[in-house]
Amino acid sequence: SFTITFTPTVSGNRSASLSIVSNDPDENPYIFNLSGYGDATLTSLNLLNTYPLTVHEPSGLAFNAATNELFTVSDNTGFVYKISTTGTTLQTLNYAGSDLEGVSMYTTNKILIAVEGSRELIEYDYVVDNGASFTSHVMNYTNTDLSTGGDNSRIEGVTYDDANNEIYFLNEKNPGALIKADGSFNVINEYPDPLAHGGDYSGSAYVKETGELWLASDQTSTIYKCNTNGTIIQTFPVTQSGGAPIDKLEGIAIDYNNQILYAVSDAGQNLFVFEINNPTLNIQTNTLSENNIKVYPNPAQNNINIKLNNSEQITHIYLYNSLGKLVKSTNVETPNLDVSELNSGIYFLEIQTNYNIYSKTIIVRK
């Protein structure tokens, strides 16, 4: 049996045909005629460029917004590399290890390096870069195969939420899991197989501007936009320019300001550059004048306060999520809107008064 989801991202009625080749003598190929209504508000990933890397078996990726550069680690050489956004190796750091499977920007001048078999997260100052001074944290969590054969199925991609001083990392498989740790490297949550695909977990990237967590799977060549508990918001099967799956998708990083997603492949030794097409971020809205109405705090955690500075009266308040779905509404005059039950992410607030309609982008951050 097959379960197929057809999600067109272009508006209107769309159709497609899916053919699955098999060795069944009388049902080869399986052909499915699909139809669906496209939602143009859905995010899409569009491959812009592919650059070859000189790094052998790149196995993680981090974006440094301050310098517009990337870090990657090699599972082959045990080194950490600084590379350009077009794949040129700029620097080989002096830290030397083995079984490196992830890297993330961390606190000032520091990166986190994920070591798979020993389940370590390494704090390393990439500016001082003396190779010898680093702090190691062995991560104690239960959701993993601790047998001898499980050494190669442990820590993978790591990413850091600097707003909440929290760390997210992945257990590759047996079983795959999303793990959350606090700023003292104590595990506080474990989410076994949150994507419910039974496959592996290879890369992660936290986006502080939206409070979303992006995850990658090597075996399925798929990237997932999620909430911080791993609940899927949207799924992106990704391919190379010729349409073939990316061979061992091992690391992802996001440049939010320019809406770019970077990905590296282990076997292919390539850097892939995707444009994040997020239509909801480009919606033209009325400018919210601070002289007339004020909305605060933003980002918000529990309540959004709304203050009118004129004689207008609020008639309706609507709050939409990043997919354009209405998640909160009220038709009473109220100074605030409760968002405590909402997940972290970008939302769109529409305030209707007896004279005007005001719109503002709101970030909910937990």
Side-chain angles (χ1 to χ4, degrees):
S1 62
F2 298 90
T3 300
I4 300 171
T5 301
F6 178 49
T7 311
T9 56
V10 180
S11 294
N13 291 311
R14 300 288 160 176
S15 61
S17 179
L18 176 67
S19 175
I20 300 177
V21 177
S22 78
N23 61 358
D24 190 303
D26 60 356
E27 292 181 312
N28 180 30
Y30 293 97
I31 297 177
F32 302 91
N33 294 313
L34 311 174
S35 63
Y37 187 82
D39 183 352
T41 67
L42 290 177
T43 301
S44 63
L45 292 182
N46 305 314
L47 181 63
L48 298 178
N49 287 295
T50 303
Y51 300 104
L53 296 173
T54 57
V55 176
H56 296 290
E57 298 183 26
S59 299
L61 202 59
F63 177 71
N64 187 346
T67 62
N68 196 42
E69 295 168 337
L70 297 159
F71 286 98
T72 190
V73 296
S74 169
D75 187 28
N76 179 285
T77 66
F79 292 128
V80 182
Y81 301 87
K82 183 188 294 184
I83 62 175
S84 73
T85 55
T86 56
T88 301
T89 299
L90 304 174
Q91 180 186 356
T92 302
L93 301 189
N94 287 312
Y95 174 84
S98 63
D99 208 9
L100 308 188
E101 290 288 351
V103 62
S104 170
M105 303 309 300
Y106 188 45
T107 53
T108 304
N109 295 340
K110 287 187 176 183
I111 55 175
L112 286 178
I113 304 167
V115 184
E116 184 173 26
S118 58
R119 301 201 307 179
E120 291 176 272
L121 293 181
I122 306 291
E123 295 180 62
Y124 186 71
D125 190 322
Y126 63 89
V127 174
V128 174
D129 189 28
N130 64 10
S133 299
F134 56 86
T135 305
S136 171
H137 305 272
V138 176
M139 305 307 296
N140 294 310
Y141 58 99
T142 59
N143 195 20
T144 182
D145 178 1
L146 296 180
S147 66
T148 302
D151 287 353
N152 214 29
S153 305
R154 297 183 183 175
I155 289 184
E156 291 274 326
V158 60
T159 189
Y160 178 60
D161 170 7
D162 61 350
N164 297 299
N165 192 24
E166 293 174 335
I167 301 161
Y168 296 89
F169 62 93
L170 304 172
N171 193 75
E172 183 184 9
K173 54 188 176 183
N174 299 326
L178 169 65
I179 316 291
K180 179 180 178 180
D182 62 21
S184 299
F185 292 85
N186 298 310
V187 170
I188 53 179
N189 285 107
E190 298 184 36
Y191 305 100
D193 197 18
L195 304 179
H197 68 350
D200 73 333
Y201 292 75
S202 59
S204 64
Y206 178 78
V207 181
K208 66 179 180 180
E209 290 85 355
T210 64
E212 294 167 343
L213 188 64
W214 292 61
L215 304 178
S217 172
D218 161 10
Q219 292 179 353
T220 64
S221 187
T222 302
I223 295 172
Y224 305 83
K225 181 168 69 171
C226 305
N227 294 323
T228 52
N229 61 5
T231 301
I232 298 173
I233 298 172
Q234 200 173 338
T235 301
F236 308 93
V238 288
T239 62
Q240 304 177 55
S241 58
I246 293 177
D247 194 3
K248 292 191 175 181
L249 171 65
E250 286 288 333
I252 56 174
I254 291 176
D255 172 3
Y256 180 81
N257 290 335
N258 293 302
Q259 289 294 282
I260 296 293
L261 183 145
Y262 298 96
V264 289
S265 64
D266 180 319
Q269 281 185 211
N270 288 317
L271 174 68
F272 298 92
V273 183
F274 293 90
E275 176 188 32
I276 304 173
N277 177 25
N278 193 344
T280 56
L281 295 181
N282 301 317
I283 295 173
Q284 297 298 314
T285 60
N286 297 329
T287 301
L288 192 153
S289 172
E290 295 294 336
N291 294 326
N292 295 333
I293 188 168
K294 184 176 182 180
V295 176
Y296 63 96
N298 189 16
Q301 184 174 8
N302 296 312
N303 289 284
I304 297 172
N305 300 301
I306 302 167
K307 181 180 179 181
L308 287 169
N309 298 322
N310 54 26
S311 59
E312 295 180 37
Q313 295 181 341
I314 296 174
T315 57
H316 293 84
I317 300 173
Y318 301 99
L319 190 67
Y320 301 87
N321 66 14
S322 60
L323 298 180
K325 180 181 179 181
L326 180 67
V327 294
K328 283 272 186 179
S329 67
T330 178
N331 59 357
V332 297
E333 296 182 21
T334 177
N336 62 68
L337 190 67
D338 183 7
V339 296
S340 60
E341 296 180 356
L342 298 180
N343 293 320
S344 296
I346 288 181
Y347 294 83
F348 302 96
L349 183 67
E350 181 179 290
I351 304 163
Q352 295 184 4
T353 74
N354 52 342
Y355 291 106
N356 290 298
I357 298 177
Y358 299 96
S359 299
K360 189 172 180 63
T361 300
I362 296 293
I363 296 175
V364 174
R365 182 176 293 163
K366 299 303 177 67

